[in-house]
Amino acid sequence: MSDQIPPQVYYTLGGIFATLAVASLITWGVRRGRPDSNVKEVSQRVRTWWVIVGLFGIALVLGHTASVLFFALVSFLAFKEFLTLIPTRRADHRVLFLAYLSIPFQYYWVYSEFYGMFIVFIPVYLFMLIPTRMVIVGETSGFLRASGTLHWGLMTTVFSVSHAAFLLALVPSEQARVTAAWPDGSEAQLAGPALLLLLVFLTQFNDIAQFCWGKLLGKRKIVPTVSPGKTVAGLIGGVASTVVLAAVIGPYLTILDLPRALIAGLIIGLGGFAGDVSISALKRDLGVKDSGSILPGHGGILDRIDSLTFTAPLFFHYMYYLYA
């Protein structure tokens, strides 16, 4: 374990595991008391959460290398899942190899903290390389659709998600717009692990809060043709809950002060909604309910990180603007 990780990270992870333990006890009690109740899916979701949080928590406390590898694996699985959903041309098979090869390169820039290449590698170089390779193959039928969908997949599953990992390398500058203030005043602690934990925790909490508020009070639908379960009450209640939680744990866990923690909560709440409905639109366009089945009760990797594909770059650049 890294002794530089703030103790608040361990305490917050402990709180999350305690919450999961309570949820497991409740679902176990309901199933035992009412065997005919329909809590199987909820129970399955909770068990999967144990695996997700466990793997993420282990990677986080093991340090920078383990965390970067963890998100590289997430990007690989999400991109692979994306490719199983979209139709591809026979002529694109060699191009797909290039696309897969971009994942270790992108995460190497993250690992080596090479911000200049990290920020342009996929949006600029892959954006030009992929269509160029397609042109060399010589197949023009479906060219625009193939190059566009492939690049969209790389942007969402690799480039966007890699922003979460690059938070680990974020070091507040002495010339930053805002002076970083660690919870206990120590300057020896790493800012990144706490920021990463805050991002992932708030993003997943926002998903759950929007779902719960929608179930409780939701009537007016926002995008019924894309995601019928999304309601105005769910969005407002979820974003408000995320902002409140950000205000509580942001200044405790990270270098954020209260006003900027509130803004971070708002960014993650709204960004999470946008990411969620964008991936929903993709699945609806392709005629599938879930992107996969690797996570029992949740669906696929894309189903679980749909909100993160938007919140990670938004939160990263917010932090970068404030502290870098």
Side-chain angles (χ1 to χ4, degrees), residues 260-273:
R260 292 170 183 84
L262 287 168
I263 297 173
L266 185 63
I267 289 172
I268 291 173
L270 294 175
F273 171 80

Side-chain angles (χ1 to χ4, degrees), residues 8-312:
Q8 289 84 356
V9 169
Y10 297 110
Y11 301 150
T12 304
L13 282 173
I16 295 171
F17 281 118
T19 304
L20 283 175
V22 171
S24 297
L25 280 174
I26 292 174
T27 53
W28 177 80
V30 171
R31 293 189 70 177
R32 188 174 176 83
R34 297 172 55 192
D36 58 334
S37 62
N38 187 21
V39 295
K40 181 180 179 182
E41 184 178 346
V42 177
S43 180
Q44 197 174 45
R45 278 176 173 259
V46 173
R47 285 199 299 271
T48 303
W49 271 120
W50 275 103
V51 177
I52 296 172
V53 176
L55 292 175
F56 171 68
I58 290 171
L60 190 65
V61 299
L62 283 179
H64 182 261
T65 303
S67 296
V68 172
L69 288 174
F70 174 81
F71 279 97
L73 178 62
V74 170
S75 282
F76 170 77
L77 293 174
F79 185 61
K80 183 173 181 289
E81 202 171 75
F82 173 78
L83 291 180
T84 63
L85 295 175
I86 64 167
T88 55
R89 308 176 305 172
R90 180 182 293 273
D92 295 334
H93 287 181
R94 292 182 180 177
V95 182
L96 294 182
F97 174 74
L98 280 179
Y100 274 117
L101 195 60
S102 72
I103 299 174
F105 274 98
Q106 177 67 9
Y107 278 92
Y108 176 73
W109 312 135
V110 175
Y111 175 76
S112 60
E113 304 176 11
F114 191 170
Y115 181 80
M117 279 300 290
F118 156 76
I119 207 67
V120 301
F121 179 62
I122 290 177
V124 178
Y125 295 114
L126 263 293
F127 176 74
M128 294 186 289
L129 181 61
I130 286 175
T132 301
R133 186 68 182 88
M134 286 178 169
V135 168
I136 291 174
V137 172
E139 177 58 64
T140 57
S141 177
F143 169 79
L144 181 60
R145 182 180 179 85
S147 60
T149 52
L150 195 53
H151 195 253
W152 193 88
L154 281 174
M155 286 293 290
T156 52
T157 62
V158 183
F159 181 66
S160 291
V161 176
S162 68
H163 281 77
F166 209 97
L167 278 172
L168 295 164
L170 188 65
V171 178
S173 166
E174 293 182 358
Q175 292 79 39
R177 292 177 173 81
V178 179
T179 301
W182 274 263
D184 63 357
S186 170
E187 294 186 358
Q189 295 176 347
L190 291 173
L195 293 172
L196 176 59
L197 179 57
L198 181 72
L199 165 68
V200 174
F201 182 38
L202 288 184
T203 299
Q204 301 306 325
F205 173 82
N206 181 58
D207 281 354
I208 297 170
Q210 290 197 20
F211 173 80
C212 292
W213 281 108
K215 284 289 184 183
L216 285 172
L217 303 174
K219 291 182 180 177
R220 184 178 178 184
K221 300 181 185 304
I222 300 178
V223 281
T225 58
V226 177
S227 184
K230 296 294 180 186
T231 64
V232 174
L235 174 61
I236 295 174
V239 172
S241 301
T242 303
V243 169
V244 170
L245 185 62
V248 173
I249 67 169
Y252 164 75
L253 177 64
T254 72
I255 55 178
L256 286 166
D257 56 17
L258 179 59
R260 292 170 183 84
L262 287 168
I263 297 173
L266 185 63
I267 289 172
I268 291 173
L270 294 175
F273 171 80
D276 190 341
V277 294
S278 294
I279 298 298
S280 293
L282 168 72
K283 291 185 292 187
R284 190 163 287 272
D285 183 30
L286 296 170
V288 297
K289 180 178 180 295
D290 295 324
S291 62
S293 57
I294 194 172
L295 300 173
H298 295 256
I301 297 291
L302 268 177
D303 294 308
R304 192 59 279 145
I305 66 164
D306 50 6
S307 303
L308 191 67
T309 61
F310 275 48
T311 61

